[in-house]
Amino acid sequence: MKLRRKLFSSKDPYDFSKAEIFLDACRENYDHLITHCDDYKKISEGLGIRSSKDINRPSDIPVIPTMLMKQHDFRSGRYMVMATSSGTSGKMSHVRFEFGALMAALKMSIKVTRYHGIMTAKPCRYIVMGYKPHRSNKTAVAKTAYLTTFLAPAISRKFILKHTSDGYKPDFESIVEALKKYEKGRAPVRFMGFPSYTFFLFRLLEERGLSFKLPKGSKVMLGGGWKQFYQEAADKDTFYKLAKKTLDIDEENIVEFFGAVEHPILYTDCAFHHFHVPVYSNIVIRDPDTLEPLENGQTGLVNLISPLCTATPILSVMTDDLGILHDGSECPCGVKSPYLEIVGRVAPEDIKTCAAGAADILKGVKV
Ligand SMILES: [Zn+2]
């Protein structure tokens, strides 16, 4: 996977001029997939693509819907690590990563987090608003939240979701106690995890009239999606205001990540909270009826493309998200690559996302 190595070694994670290397790395990945996965070969031939020579642009790459991955376990080579999407067993995607994919993911994470100033040498305290690692939990959400606690040296790690004999339970009181202690210290505090739990904590602090002045450099990092906030765009502003009011954290110190187990690319929002597409991936927005690619600015199904992995055929996956791709020039941050706005889901009542799952747990919590 020479071309993958070249692509993931790009110096600038948002260098728009890498389109040619990206397409070549996708062709290289495609050639591996059709010789290592009969299912993918059949899907590809069914779509009239017989060799990588038939691929002239990223949108030509045969697509696998994530819905299908939840029902069928696709494999395309040896692997070292497996991650699953959230969901009940039998309805999860299984994504396997080989050594080369892990190395590419590591290079990408270092470049992207450095670019956004998240990777630093200053030690800090982590509060993970998500799962405490446990051998029974193989979800990518748990793994990535834990991995982010290595982006700056950790003095301590606290997790809100504790594994009990009845499954995972949130422990807000221990977080409030920890904040009282951390406020007096000098080490920055970093929150990482689900926006839902973080938002819930802010509201709890506000209701109790508690506010903290966390040490300089403290950050709120969010991952796992805003899905339950889709209908209320104003909630993001409320969220930023509450972060300032309860923890004295400014909006510029709130960073959000976006990714999916079937598309393990690290999207990080810019200063204007836009998810620009990095060099490691491409996004095609498709017409929900004809599946034809749409122009930037139009709403359609989100198709995510990346040659990161060879052990699972996730080169081009079709999500059930509806989104819009905007021209990079519409954002004043200076990054030229387009950015993705997720606007909803195709069938929200049918699909339980990891964020919605977390929201379900919240319902059982008394404050
Ligand atoms: Zn921007």
Side-chain angles (χ1 to χ4, degrees):
M1 295 293 134
K2 224 170 75 199
L3 297 164
R4 171 175 68 185
R5 237 183 348 259
K6 200 170 161 191
L7 177 70
F8 282 83
S9 300
S10 307
K11 280 204 183 71
D12 176 355
Y14 299 103
D15 181 357
F16 217 19
S17 67
K18 298 282 186 232
E20 200 58 40
I21 302 175
F22 179 83
L23 188 61
D24 288 344
C26 285
R27 288 194 185 112
E28 176 189 65
N29 189 291
Y30 174 88
D31 285 335
H32 169 90
L33 295 184
I34 52 161
T35 49
H36 290 77
C37 179
D38 278 345
D39 293 322
Y40 191 74
K41 191 166 180 259
K42 279 182 212 150
I43 289 172
S44 183
E45 285 174 354
L47 294 167
I49 304 281
R50 291 180 179 274
S51 99
S52 54
K53 292 191 187 76
D54 296 332
I55 297 171
N56 298 311
R57 56 193 73 81
S59 59
D60 292 341
I61 300 166
V63 166
I64 294 188
T66 52
M67 293 282 252
L68 186 59
M69 290 185 72
K70 288 185 168 68
Q71 288 152 26
H72 185 84
D73 192 8
F74 289 94
R75 294 181 187 218
S76 52
R78 293 160 64 105
Y79 72 99
M80 279 180 77
V81 172
M82 186 179 77
T84 62
S85 59
S86 310
T88 49
S89 56
K91 286 266 169 71
M92 306 187 287
S93 302
H94 293 78
V95 177
R96 294 172 177 80
F97 298 95
E98 76 286 2
F99 181 72
L102 295 171
M103 290 319 286
L106 179 67
K107 278 190 205 167
M108 166 184 74
S109 308
I110 291 173
K111 291 206 176 85
V112 172
T113 53
R114 253 195 210 144
Y115 185 97
H116 292 275
I118 305 160
M119 192 176 234
T120 65
K122 194 171 166 65
C124 60
R125 298 190 181 276
Y126 287 95
I127 297 179
V128 179
M129 301 303 278
Y131 304 106
K132 183 169 190 176
H134 186 266
R135 61 187 184 282
S136 70
N137 190 335
K138 289 193 167 39
T139 62
V141 166
K143 286 182 185 176
T144 49
Y146 185 64
L147 284 174
T148 47
T149 65
F150 291 92
L151 294 173
I155 300 170
S156 62
R157 293 187 183 91
K158 249 193 149 11
F159 295 85
I160 191 164
L161 289 177
K162 307 240 164 77
H163 194 268
T164 70
S165 50
D166 292 334
Y168 277 96
K169 291 262 161 69
D171 181 2
F172 284 94
E173 295 311 321
S174 72
I175 305 294
V176 176
E177 287 311 307
L179 284 171
K180 288 180 184 164
K181 202 172 106 195
Y182 297 168
E183 183 186 37
K184 296 187 193 108
R186 257 189 284 171
V189 178
R190 282 187 173 193
F191 284 83
M192 175 62 211
F194 293 117
S196 52
Y197 281 110
T198 317
F199 192 52
F200 206 73
L201 174 74
F202 294 168
R203 288 213 321 246
L204 183 142
L205 295 177
E206 195 194 30
E207 275 165 31
R208 293 189 187 175
L210 289 170
S211 65
F212 297 92
K213 274 217 169 318
L214 292 182
K216 202 171 156 269
S218 294
K219 279 183 191 295
V220 172
M221 302 192 290
L222 305 168
W226 283 81
K227 312 232 149 96
Q228 71 276 43
F229 293 123
Y230 275 156
Q231 289 79 21
E232 304 157 62
D235 262 353
K236 274 207 186 189
D237 277 332
T238 313
F239 187 95
Y240 300 139
K241 282 190 188 116
L242 273 178
K244 180 71 188 165
K245 189 176 172 191
T246 59
L247 301 174
D248 197 31
I249 290 179
D250 292 316
E251 186 180 327
E252 64 195 50
N253 285 315
I254 300 177
V255 189
E256 193 179 344
F257 302 108
F258 163 81
V261 63
E262 302 91 351
H263 181 72
I265 296 299
L266 186 61
Y267 293 84
T268 308
D269 67 348
C270 69
F272 296 86
H273 303 297
H274 293 144
F275 292 109
H276 292 273
V277 181
V279 290
Y280 324 107
S281 64
N282 246 230
I283 296 178
V284 177
I285 302 294
R286 293 180 186 269
D287 184 300
D289 295 323
T290 64
L291 297 184
E292 285 301 311
L294 295 171
E295 302 262 313
N296 283 2
Q298 290 183 280
T299 307
L301 281 168
V302 179
N303 173 198
L304 304 163
I305 302 164
S306 174
L308 174 92
C309 178
T310 60
T312 316
I314 51 170
L315 174 59
S316 179
V317 295
M318 182 75 91
T319 67
D320 33 43
D321 287 319
L322 284 172
I324 305 169
L325 205 58
H326 297 274
D327 285 332
S329 58
E330 285 177 29
C331 181
C333 78
V335 172
K336 299 276 181 296
S337 76
Y339 60 92
L340 177 69
E341 182 192 350
I342 298 279
V343 292
R345 298 213 118 182
V346 180
E349 66 280 6
D350 295 341
I351 302 150
K352 260 199 151 195
T353 66
C354 42
D360 278 353
I361 306 174
L362 274 181
K363 282 182 194 152
V365 182
K366 277 220 166 88
V367 286

